[in-house]
Amino acid sequence: MTAPRLTRTYLAVPAHRERMVERAAGSAADAVFLDLEDAVPAGEKNAALRTAIDAITRLDWGQKTVTVRINAIDSPSIAEEVEKLSGLARLDAVLLPKAERVTDVIGIGERLSQHRGDRNHPLELELLIETALGVVNVDALAAAHATVAALHFGVGDFSASIGARSDEIGLSPRDYRHVASAAEEHRETALDLFAYPMMRILIAARAFQLRAIDGPFGAFRDNQGTLGSAVKAASMGYDGKQVIHPDQIEPTRSAFVPSASDSASAQRVIEAMRAAERDGHGAVTLDGRMLDLANVRMAERILRFAS
């Protein structure tokens, strides 16, 4: 992984809403991104940048990963945002929305490297993949610049990009989800509109040793829907998921944190393989299963999420 960070819950907050930003700093989220883009009205953009800079400098963020989502690459304010944010010692990353072209990523990455003030290293760059073009180019985007550290799936804008008939962020359109089987008229097959782009983004992230963050589930008062969406992302292998309301933090976190029994099982796998290696074996049988080093790598990942 690019950095030893836990980003299981990634709370999105409009940067111009000062009280919300302050609550986010004290929340249980692993990571927070202060939004300068879609959540901020055009007339509040300057105020949002000022509030974000003040909050990052003034507030106690604990061990959180602190990120700012800047405006789109063609925004007239992009140069000012990058320059003013780059020197903030407590800021960990900037999130580039609608990442589509390698030249744009290289340009932002170079600016982050140049305008870093007293920082010992440039800010990390996280990319929001939220269009059809972004998904098509995701491999090249992931490898575009050394500052790139994470890929996020922008599920709402992606739906709009491909013309999906959906009005709920993070949920497949109902008429797509529930399709009657041709063989059995009354049986319904559950389809997931986002399975392909999620896997494409995840594979690109893993290929280039980046973190992978799933997009939000929009119905934030639906705890079961929030949990189910997070379980899917965690099961696939994502490192975390965006949340848009503090109420989503705990159910989302619970999906990414392994149970005590899962952690204990992972520890047993590691210990069994260590014993096998001491005896000169590359595999071992445990509870009726054949284990090798691939199982150890999977077990180590489970334990990394257990804290």
Side-chain angles (χ1 to χ4, degrees), residues 3-52:
R5 293 182 183 151
L6 285 177
T7 51
R8 300 163 300 193
T9 52
Y10 219 122
L11 178 61
V13 188
H16 67 301
R17 302 290 296 274
E18 187 172 356
R19 292 290 298 277
M20 292 178 67
V21 171
E22 291 175 347
R23 287 196 292 269
S27 74
D30 295 319
V32 172
F33 80 75
L34 308 181
D35 192 13
L36 304 180
E37 197 216 11
D38 282 353
V40 179
E44 298 286 342
K45 297 287 187 181
N46 291 335
L49 179 58
R50 290 194 302 270
T51 301

mmCIF file of all heavy atoms in Angstrom, residues 3-52:
data_model
loop_
_atom_site.group_PDB
_atom_site.id
_atom_site.type_symbol
_atom_site.label_atom_id
_atom_site.label_comp_id
_atom_site.label_asym_id
_atom_site.label_seq_id
_atom_site.Cartn_x
_atom_site.Cartn_y
_atom_site.Cartn_z
ATOM 1 N N ALA A 3 0.530 4.054 1.703
ATOM 2 C CA ALA A 3 0.794 4.590 3.040
ATOM 3 C C ALA A 3 0.099 3.709 4.067
ATOM 4 O O ALA A 3 -0.951 3.148 3.804
ATOM 5 C CB ALA A 3 0.289 6.034 3.140
ATOM 6 N N PRO A 4 0.679 3.574 5.262
ATOM 7 C CA PRO A 4 0.072 2.724 6.292
ATOM 8 C C PRO A 4 -1.099 3.429 6.955
ATOM 9 O O PRO A 4 -1.071 3.747 8.147
ATOM 10 C CB PRO A 4 1.230 2.498 7.265
ATOM 11 C CG PRO A 4 2.062 3.727 7.138
ATOM 12 C CD PRO A 4 1.962 4.129 5.693
ATOM 13 N N ARG A 5 -2.113 3.737 6.182
ATOM 14 C CA ARG A 5 -3.275 4.454 6.703
ATOM 15 C C ARG A 5 -4.511 3.578 6.635
ATOM 16 O O ARG A 5 -4.677 2.797 5.708
ATOM 17 C CB ARG A 5 -3.544 5.711 5.874
ATOM 18 C CG ARG A 5 -2.472 6.768 5.982
ATOM 19 C CD ARG A 5 -2.870 7.986 5.167
ATOM 20 N NE ARG A 5 -1.823 8.974 5.218
ATOM 21 C CZ ARG A 5 -1.571 9.842 4.265
ATOM 22 N NH1 ARG A 5 -2.285 9.820 3.163
ATOM 23 N NH2 ARG A 5 -0.614 10.723 4.396
ATOM 24 N N LEU A 6 -5.373 3.745 7.610
ATOM 25 C CA LEU A 6 -6.695 3.146 7.540
ATOM 26 C C LEU A 6 -7.658 4.206 7.034
ATOM 27 O O LEU A 6 -7.773 5.288 7.618
ATOM 28 C CB LEU A 6 -7.129 2.646 8.923
ATOM 29 C CG LEU A 6 -6.459 1.368 9.422
ATOM 30 C CD1 LEU A 6 -6.934 1.049 10.828
ATOM 31 C CD2 LEU A 6 -6.732 0.203 8.483
ATOM 32 N N THR A 7 -8.317 3.906 5.933
ATOM 33 C CA THR A 7 -9.292 4.845 5.369
ATOM 34 C C THR A 7 -10.608 4.102 5.117
ATOM 35 O O THR A 7 -11.205 4.200 4.059
ATOM 36 C CB THR A 7 -8.763 5.465 4.057
ATOM 37 O OG1 THR A 7 -8.316 4.414 3.182
ATOM 38 C CG2 THR A 7 -7.611 6.403 4.323
ATOM 39 N N ARG A 8 -11.021 3.363 6.146
ATOM 40 C CA ARG A 8 -12.226 2.554 6.014
ATOM 41 C C ARG A 8 -13.459 3.429 5.861
ATOM 42 O O ARG A 8 -14.369 3.121 5.085
ATOM 43 C CB ARG A 8 -12.360 1.653 7.244
ATOM 44 C CG ARG A 8 -11.194 0.695 7.433
ATOM 45 C CD ARG A 8 -11.131 0.122 8.832
ATOM 46 N NE ARG A 8 -10.966 1.166 9.846
ATOM 47 C CZ ARG A 8 -10.639 0.939 11.102
ATOM 48 N NH1 ARG A 8 -10.442 -0.308 11.514
ATOM 49 N NH2 ARG A 8 -10.497 1.923 11.958
ATOM 50 N N THR A 9 -13.515 4.520 6.609
ATOM 51 C CA THR A 9 -14.639 5.453 6.530
ATOM 52 C C THR A 9 -14.096 6.817 6.137
ATOM 53 O O THR A 9 -13.262 7.393 6.834
ATOM 54 C CB THR A 9 -15.380 5.547 7.872
ATOM 55 O OG1 THR A 9 -14.440 5.824 8.920
ATOM 56 C CG2 THR A 9 -16.082 4.235 8.182
ATOM 57 N N TYR A 10 -14.570 7.340 5.012
ATOM 58 C CA TYR A 10 -14.039 8.569 4.432
ATOM 59 C C TYR A 10 -15.189 9.580 4.367
ATOM 60 O O TYR A 10 -15.990 9.566 3.452
ATOM 61 C CB TYR A 10 -13.517 8.266 3.023
ATOM 62 C CG TYR A 10 -12.239 8.969 2.643
ATOM 63 C CD1 TYR A 10 -11.117 8.252 2.261
ATOM 64 C CD2 TYR A 10 -12.162 10.348 2.623
ATOM 65 C CE1 TYR A 10 -9.945 8.876 1.886
ATOM 66 C CE2 TYR A 10 -10.994 10.990 2.253
ATOM 67 C CZ TYR A 10 -9.891 10.245 1.880
ATOM 68 O OH TYR A 10 -8.744 10.889 1.502
ATOM 69 N N LEU A 11 -15.267 10.443 5.381
ATOM 70 C CA LEU A 11 -16.402 11.350 5.534
ATOM 71 C C LEU A 11 -16.252 12.582 4.638
ATOM 72 O O LEU A 11 -15.251 13.294 4.709
ATOM 73 C CB LEU A 11 -16.524 11.779 6.993
ATOM 74 C CG LEU A 11 -17.640 12.773 7.348
ATOM 75 C CD1 LEU A 11 -19.015 12.191 7.026
ATOM 76 C CD2 LEU A 11 -17.555 13.157 8.828
ATOM 77 N N ALA A 12 -17.255 12.827 3.817
ATOM 78 C CA ALA A 12 -17.286 13.999 2.940
ATOM 79 C C ALA A 12 -18.029 15.138 3.629
ATOM 80 O O ALA A 12 -19.128 14.938 4.160
ATOM 81 C CB ALA A 12 -17.969 13.651 1.627
ATOM 82 N N VAL A 13 -17.427 16.345 3.612
ATOM 83 C CA VAL A 13 -18.018 17.499 4.292
ATOM 84 C C VAL A 13 -17.900 18.741 3.402
ATOM 85 O O VAL A 13 -16.805 19.022 2.892
ATOM 86 C CB VAL A 13 -17.302 17.797 5.636
ATOM 87 C CG1 VAL A 13 -18.043 18.871 6.409
ATOM 88 C CG2 VAL A 13 -17.149 16.547 6.468
ATOM 89 N N PRO A 14 -18.984 19.502 3.203
ATOM 90 C CA PRO A 14 -18.873 20.765 2.460
ATOM 91 C C PRO A 14 -17.944 21.720 3.208
ATOM 92 O O PRO A 14 -18.167 22.021 4.385
ATOM 93 C CB PRO A 14 -20.302 21.296 2.438
ATOM 94 C CG PRO A 14 -21.177 20.132 2.764
ATOM 95 C CD PRO A 14 -20.365 19.243 3.652
ATOM 96 N N ALA A 15 -16.923 22.213 2.545
ATOM 97 C CA ALA A 15 -15.896 23.001 3.239
ATOM 98 C C ALA A 15 -16.407 24.344 3.733
ATOM 99 O O ALA A 15 -15.830 24.921 4.654
ATOM 100 C CB ALA A 15 -14.691 23.211 2.326
ATOM 101 N N HIS A 16 -17.488 24.868 3.145
ATOM 102 C CA HIS A 16 -17.981 26.183 3.568
ATOM 103 C C HIS A 16 -18.887 26.102 4.788
ATOM 104 O O HIS A 16 -19.257 27.133 5.357
ATOM 105 C CB HIS A 16 -18.735 26.865 2.425
ATOM 106 C CG HIS A 16 -20.022 26.192 2.044
ATOM 107 N ND1 HIS A 16 -20.087 24.891 1.625
ATOM 108 C CD2 HIS A 16 -21.310 26.664 2.026
ATOM 109 C CE1 HIS A 16 -21.344 24.581 1.352
ATOM 110 N NE2 HIS A 16 -22.100 25.624 1.590
ATOM 111 N N ARG A 17 -19.217 24.879 5.243
ATOM 112 C CA ARG A 17 -20.082 24.705 6.411
ATOM 113 C C ARG A 17 -19.199 24.483 7.636
ATOM 114 O O ARG A 17 -18.848 23.349 7.986
ATOM 115 C CB ARG A 17 -21.033 23.531 6.190
ATOM 116 C CG ARG A 17 -21.916 23.680 4.959
ATOM 117 C CD ARG A 17 -22.967 24.762 5.130
ATOM 118 N NE ARG A 17 -23.894 24.419 6.183
ATOM 119 C CZ ARG A 17 -24.977 23.658 6.011
ATOM 120 N NH1 ARG A 17 -25.239 23.142 4.809
ATOM 121 N NH2 ARG A 17 -25.779 23.399 7.017
ATOM 122 N N GLU A 18 -18.839 25.567 8.310
ATOM 123 C CA GLU A 18 -17.833 25.526 9.366
ATOM 124 C C GLU A 18 -18.200 24.575 10.496
ATOM 125 O O GLU A 18 -17.358 23.822 10.992
ATOM 126 C CB GLU A 18 -17.581 26.933 9.913
ATOM 127 C CG GLU A 18 -16.439 27.010 10.894
ATOM 128 C CD GLU A 18 -16.095 28.441 11.269
ATOM 129 O OE1 GLU A 18 -16.699 29.379 10.695
ATOM 130 O OE2 GLU A 18 -15.236 28.627 12.148
ATOM 131 N N ARG A 19 -19.446 24.601 10.943
ATOM 132 C CA ARG A 19 -19.855 23.732 12.044
ATOM 133 C C ARG A 19 -19.741 22.256 11.647
ATOM 134 O O ARG A 19 -19.335 21.420 12.463
ATOM 135 C CB ARG A 19 -21.298 24.055 12.457
ATOM 136 C CG ARG A 19 -21.464 25.431 13.097
ATOM 137 C CD ARG A 19 -20.823 25.456 14.485
ATOM 138 N NE ARG A 19 -21.451 24.500 15.396
ATOM 139 C CZ ARG A 19 -22.568 24.738 16.072
ATOM 140 N NH1 ARG A 19 -23.197 25.910 15.955
ATOM 141 N NH2 ARG A 19 -23.073 23.823 16.878
ATOM 142 N N MET A 20 -20.110 21.948 10.424
ATOM 143 C CA MET A 20 -20.007 20.574 9.949
ATOM 144 C C MET A 20 -18.551 20.132 9.883
ATOM 145 O O MET A 20 -18.205 18.987 10.211
ATOM 146 C CB MET A 20 -20.679 20.430 8.579
ATOM 147 C CG MET A 20 -22.180 20.600 8.609
ATOM 148 S SD MET A 20 -22.936 20.479 6.962
ATOM 149 C CE MET A 20 -22.641 18.758 6.574
ATOM 150 N N VAL A 21 -17.674 21.030 9.461
ATOM 151 C CA VAL A 21 -16.248 20.724 9.398
ATOM 152 C C VAL A 21 -15.708 20.438 10.802
ATOM 153 O O VAL A 21 -14.951 19.485 11.015
ATOM 154 C CB VAL A 21 -15.471 21.873 8.736
ATOM 155 C CG1 VAL A 21 -13.969 21.662 8.862
ATOM 156 C CG2 VAL A 21 -15.867 22.001 7.259
ATOM 157 N N GLU A 22 -16.115 21.245 11.765
ATOM 158 C CA GLU A 22 -15.660 21.043 13.145
ATOM 159 C C GLU A 22 -16.145 19.707 13.697
ATOM 160 O O GLU A 22 -15.399 19.000 14.394
ATOM 161 C CB GLU A 22 -16.136 22.204 14.019
ATOM 162 C CG GLU A 22 -15.441 23.520 13.698
ATOM 163 C CD GLU A 22 -16.005 24.688 14.476
ATOM 164 O OE1 GLU A 22 -17.096 24.520 15.088
ATOM 165 O OE2 GLU A 22 -15.381 25.766 14.467
ATOM 166 N N ARG A 23 -17.386 19.353 13.394
ATOM 167 C CA ARG A 23 -17.900 18.057 13.859
ATOM 168 C C ARG A 23 -17.160 16.907 13.176
ATOM 169 O O ARG A 23 -16.913 15.870 13.793
ATOM 170 C CB ARG A 23 -19.404 17.960 13.599
ATOM 171 C CG ARG A 23 -20.240 18.826 14.551
ATOM 172 C CD ARG A 23 -21.697 18.420 14.521
ATOM 173 N NE ARG A 23 -22.314 18.738 13.240
ATOM 174 C CZ ARG A 23 -22.941 19.889 12.976
ATOM 175 N NH1 ARG A 23 -23.013 20.842 13.904
ATOM 176 N NH2 ARG A 23 -23.492 20.086 11.804
ATOM 177 N N ALA A 24 -16.810 17.094 11.924
ATOM 178 C CA ALA A 24 -16.080 16.049 11.203
ATOM 179 C C ALA A 24 -14.718 15.792 11.835
ATOM 180 O O ALA A 24 -14.271 14.644 11.935
ATOM 181 C CB ALA A 24 -15.910 16.439 9.736
ATOM 182 N N ALA A 25 -14.066 16.866 12.287
ATOM 183 C CA ALA A 25 -12.754 16.717 12.925
ATOM 184 C C ALA A 25 -12.850 15.869 14.183
ATOM 185 O O ALA A 25 -11.918 15.120 14.515
ATOM 186 C CB ALA A 25 -12.165 18.080 13.245
ATOM 187 N N GLY A 26 -13.965 15.958 14.893
ATOM 188 C CA GLY A 26 -14.146 15.183 16.118
ATOM 189 C C GLY A 26 -14.876 13.876 15.925
ATOM 190 O O GLY A 26 -15.154 13.180 16.900
ATOM 191 N N SER A 27 -15.174 13.527 14.697
ATOM 192 C CA SER A 27 -15.941 12.315 14.420
ATOM 193 C C SER A 27 -15.072 11.070 14.518
ATOM 194 O O SER A 27 -13.851 11.135 14.670
ATOM 195 C CB SER A 27 -16.549 12.399 13.007
ATOM 196 O OG SER A 27 -15.538 12.209 12.029
ATOM 197 N N ALA A 28 -15.730 9.921 14.394
ATOM 198 C CA ALA A 28 -15.023 8.642 14.447
ATOM 199 C C ALA A 28 -14.535 8.182 13.078
ATOM 200 O O ALA A 28 -14.023 7.063 12.947
ATOM 201 C CB ALA A 28 -15.944 7.574 15.042
ATOM 202 N N ALA A 29 -14.666 9.024 12.059
ATOM 203 C CA ALA A 29 -14.222 8.648 10.715
ATOM 204 C C ALA A 29 -12.703 8.478 10.677
ATOM 205 O O ALA A 29 -11.971 9.196 11.348
ATOM 206 C CB ALA A 29 -14.655 9.703 9.701
ATOM 207 N N ASP A 30 -12.241 7.546 9.862
ATOM 208 C CA ASP A 30 -10.804 7.374 9.664
ATOM 209 C C ASP A 30 -10.217 8.505 8.839
ATOM 210 O O ASP A 30 -9.050 8.869 9.009
ATOM 211 C CB ASP A 30 -10.514 6.062 8.924
ATOM 212 C CG ASP A 30 -10.893 4.828 9.726
ATOM 213 O OD1 ASP A 30 -10.633 4.818 10.938
ATOM 214 O OD2 ASP A 30 -11.452 3.890 9.139
ATOM 215 N N ALA A 31 -11.001 9.024 7.921
ATOM 216 C CA ALA A 31 -10.534 10.051 6.995
ATOM 217 C C ALA A 31 -11.668 11.025 6.710
ATOM 218 O O ALA A 31 -12.845 10.676 6.810
ATOM 219 C CB ALA A 31 -10.049 9.409 5.692
ATOM 220 N N VAL A 32 -11.289 12.245 6.366
ATOM 221 C CA VAL A 32 -12.262 13.292 6.041
ATOM 222 C C VAL A 32 -11.795 13.999 4.781
ATOM 223 O O VAL A 32 -10.604 14.288 4.634
ATOM 224 C CB VAL A 32 -12.399 14.325 7.185
ATOM 225 C CG1 VAL A 32 -13.270 15.503 6.764
ATOM 226 C CG2 VAL A 32 -12.968 13.666 8.434
ATOM 227 N N PHE A 33 -12.734 14.260 3.851
ATOM 228 C CA PHE A 33 -12.370 15.189 2.797
ATOM 229 C C PHE A 33 -13.295 16.401 2.833
ATOM 230 O O PHE A 33 -14.514 16.276 2.900
ATOM 231 C CB PHE A 33 -12.252 14.532 1.413
ATOM 232 C CG PHE A 33 -13.530 14.267 0.653
ATOM 233 C CD1 PHE A 33 -14.227 15.289 0.026
ATOM 234 C CD2 PHE A 33 -13.986 12.962 0.489
ATOM 235 C CE1 PHE A 33 -15.366 15.026 -0.728
ATOM 236 C CE2 PHE A 33 -15.114 12.694 -0.258
ATOM 237 C CZ PHE A 33 -15.811 13.732 -0.865
ATOM 238 N N LEU A 34 -12.648 17.566 2.877
ATOM 239 C CA LEU A 34 -13.352 18.834 2.846
ATOM 240 C C LEU A 34 -13.593 19.180 1.388
ATOM 241 O O LEU A 34 -12.648 19.275 0.594
ATOM 242 C CB LEU A 34 -12.527 19.922 3.535
ATOM 243 C CG LEU A 34 -12.024 19.580 4.953
ATOM 244 C CD1 LEU A 34 -11.249 20.750 5.539
ATOM 245 C CD2 LEU A 34 -13.171 19.184 5.855
ATOM 246 N N ASP A 35 -14.854 19.371 1.041
ATOM 247 C CA ASP A 35 -15.229 19.496 -0.363
ATOM 248 C C ASP A 35 -15.284 20.949 -0.804
ATOM 249 O O ASP A 35 -15.993 21.772 -0.214
ATOM 250 C CB ASP A 35 -16.587 18.832 -0.588
ATOM 251 C CG ASP A 35 -16.916 18.659 -2.047
ATOM 252 O OD1 ASP A 35 -16.002 18.825 -2.883
ATOM 253 O OD2 ASP A 35 -18.073 18.341 -2.359
ATOM 254 N N LEU A 36 -14.537 21.257 -1.860
ATOM 255 C CA LEU A 36 -14.622 22.567 -2.502
ATOM 256 C C LEU A 36 -15.449 22.497 -3.784
ATOM 257 O O LEU A 36 -15.738 23.539 -4.386
ATOM 258 C CB LEU A 36 -13.224 23.084 -2.862
ATOM 259 C CG LEU A 36 -12.190 23.203 -1.750
ATOM 260 C CD1 LEU A 36 -10.871 23.740 -2.312
ATOM 261 C CD2 LEU A 36 -12.692 24.091 -0.623
ATOM 262 N N GLU A 37 -15.830 21.297 -4.193
ATOM 263 C CA GLU A 37 -16.446 21.124 -5.510
ATOM 264 C C GLU A 37 -17.970 21.076 -5.456
ATOM 265 O O GLU A 37 -18.625 22.066 -5.178
ATOM 266 C CB GLU A 37 -15.861 19.863 -6.180
ATOM 267 C CG GLU A 37 -16.124 19.816 -7.673
ATOM 268 C CD GLU A 37 -16.386 18.415 -8.198
ATOM 269 O OE1 GLU A 37 -16.572 17.479 -7.410
ATOM 270 O OE2 GLU A 37 -16.422 18.267 -9.422
ATOM 271 N N ASP A 38 -18.551 19.902 -5.710
ATOM 272 C CA ASP A 38 -19.992 19.809 -5.957
ATOM 273 C C ASP A 38 -20.859 20.242 -4.778
ATOM 274 O O ASP A 38 -21.978 20.709 -4.966
ATOM 275 C CB ASP A 38 -20.357 18.384 -6.345
ATOM 276 C CG ASP A 38 -20.015 18.077 -7.798
ATOM 277 O OD1 ASP A 38 -19.619 19.019 -8.515
ATOM 278 O OD2 ASP A 38 -20.137 16.908 -8.206
ATOM 279 N N ALA A 39 -20.378 20.056 -3.539
ATOM 280 C CA ALA A 39 -21.200 20.380 -2.374
ATOM 281 C C ALA A 39 -21.183 21.865 -2.029
ATOM 282 O O ALA A 39 -21.852 22.280 -1.078
ATOM 283 C CB ALA A 39 -20.725 19.575 -1.167
ATOM 284 N N VAL A 40 -20.446 22.658 -2.803
ATOM 285 C CA VAL A 40 -20.295 24.079 -2.498
ATOM 286 C C VAL A 40 -20.900 24.915 -3.627
ATOM 287 O O VAL A 40 -20.488 24.780 -4.784
ATOM 288 C CB VAL A 40 -18.806 24.449 -2.328
ATOM 289 C CG1 VAL A 40 -18.658 25.933 -2.032
ATOM 290 C CG2 VAL A 40 -18.176 23.609 -1.217
ATOM 291 N N PRO A 41 -21.875 25.798 -3.328
ATOM 292 C CA PRO A 41 -22.435 26.679 -4.360
ATOM 293 C C PRO A 41 -21.362 27.581 -4.961
ATOM 294 O O PRO A 41 -20.357 27.900 -4.305
ATOM 295 C CB PRO A 41 -23.479 27.505 -3.595
ATOM 296 C CG PRO A 41 -23.748 26.746 -2.340
ATOM 297 C CD PRO A 41 -22.495 26.016 -2.009
ATOM 298 N N ALA A 42 -21.576 28.000 -6.202
ATOM 299 C CA ALA A 42 -20.585 28.813 -6.910
ATOM 300 C C ALA A 42 -20.201 30.061 -6.128
ATOM 301 O O ALA A 42 -19.034 30.455 -6.090
ATOM 302 C CB ALA A 42 -21.114 29.185 -8.288
ATOM 303 N N GLY A 43 -21.174 30.678 -5.482
ATOM 304 C CA GLY A 43 -20.904 31.908 -4.748
ATOM 305 C C GLY A 43 -20.154 31.713 -3.446
ATOM 306 O O GLY A 43 -19.725 32.697 -2.822
ATOM 307 N N GLU A 44 -19.979 30.456 -3.012
ATOM 308 C CA GLU A 44 -19.311 30.167 -1.747
ATOM 309 C C GLU A 44 -17.924 29.558 -1.925
ATOM 310 O O GLU A 44 -17.288 29.145 -0.951
ATOM 311 C CB GLU A 44 -20.179 29.205 -0.916
ATOM 312 C CG GLU A 44 -21.548 29.745 -0.537
ATOM 313 C CD GLU A 44 -21.464 30.805 0.552
ATOM 314 O OE1 GLU A 44 -20.438 30.869 1.238
ATOM 315 O OE2 GLU A 44 -22.434 31.566 0.701
ATOM 316 N N LYS A 45 -17.451 29.480 -3.162
ATOM 317 C CA LYS A 45 -16.176 28.795 -3.428
ATOM 318 C C LYS A 45 -15.009 29.439 -2.683
ATOM 319 O O LYS A 45 -14.188 28.740 -2.071
ATOM 320 C CB LYS A 45 -15.886 28.782 -4.930
ATOM 321 C CG LYS A 45 -16.898 28.012 -5.768
ATOM 322 C CD LYS A 45 -16.754 26.513 -5.583
ATOM 323 C CE LYS A 45 -17.653 25.766 -6.560
ATOM 324 N NZ LYS A 45 -17.566 24.301 -6.398
ATOM 325 N N ASN A 46 -14.892 30.749 -2.731
ATOM 326 C CA ASN A 46 -13.774 31.423 -2.050
ATOM 327 C C ASN A 46 -13.848 31.222 -0.540
ATOM 328 O O ASN A 46 -12.825 30.970 0.117
ATOM 329 C CB ASN A 46 -13.762 32.909 -2.396
ATOM 330 C CG ASN A 46 -13.383 33.173 -3.839
ATOM 331 O OD1 ASN A 46 -12.694 32.365 -4.464
ATOM 332 N ND2 ASN A 46 -13.838 34.289 -4.384
ATOM 333 N N ALA A 47 -15.061 31.336 -0.004
ATOM 334 C CA ALA A 47 -15.240 31.135 1.431
ATOM 335 C C ALA A 47 -14.898 29.702 1.825
ATOM 336 O O ALA A 47 -14.312 29.451 2.889
ATOM 337 C CB ALA A 47 -16.672 31.470 1.838
ATOM 338 N N ALA A 48 -15.243 28.756 0.963
ATOM 339 C CA ALA A 48 -14.956 27.350 1.257
ATOM 340 C C ALA A 48 -13.457 27.104 1.350
ATOM 341 O O ALA A 48 -12.985 26.381 2.243
ATOM 342 C CB ALA A 48 -15.571 26.457 0.185
ATOM 343 N N LEU A 49 -12.702 27.700 0.442
ATOM 344 C CA LEU A 49 -11.248 27.522 0.480
ATOM 345 C C LEU A 49 -10.669 28.126 1.751
ATOM 346 O O LEU A 49 -9.820 27.513 2.419
ATOM 347 C CB LEU A 49 -10.606 28.152 -0.752
ATOM 348 C CG LEU A 49 -9.075 28.065 -0.835
ATOM 349 C CD1 LEU A 49 -8.601 26.624 -0.792
ATOM 350 C CD2 LEU A 49 -8.571 28.769 -2.100
ATOM 351 N N ARG A 50 -11.127 29.320 2.116
ATOM 352 C CA ARG A 50 -10.635 29.967 3.345
ATOM 353 C C ARG A 50 -10.976 29.133 4.568
ATOM 354 O O ARG A 50 -10.136 28.936 5.470
ATOM 355 C CB ARG A 50 -11.232 31.369 3.483
ATOM 356 C CG ARG A 50 -10.701 32.380 2.479
ATOM 357 C CD ARG A 50 -11.073 33.793 2.908
ATOM 358 N NE ARG A 50 -12.505 33.970 3.046
ATOM 359 C CZ ARG A 50 -13.309 34.367 2.052
ATOM 360 N NH1 ARG A 50 -12.805 34.606 0.838
ATOM 361 N NH2 ARG A 50 -14.603 34.513 2.257
ATOM 362 N N THR A 51 -12.204 28.628 4.627
ATOM 363 C CA THR A 51 -12.631 27.825 5.772
ATOM 364 C C THR A 51 -11.831 26.524 5.862
ATOM 365 O O THR A 51 -11.433 26.093 6.952
ATOM 366 C CB THR A 51 -14.133 27.506 5.671
ATOM 367 O OG1 THR A 51 -14.876 28.731 5.639
ATOM 368 C CG2 THR A 51 -14.600 26.682 6.858
ATOM 369 N N ALA A 52 -11.583 25.914 4.712
ATOM 370 C CA ALA A 52 -10.813 24.674 4.700
ATOM 371 C C ALA A 52 -9.397 24.900 5.218
ATOM 372 O O ALA A 52 -8.898 24.131 6.058
ATOM 373 C CB ALA A 52 -10.771 24.093 3.290
#
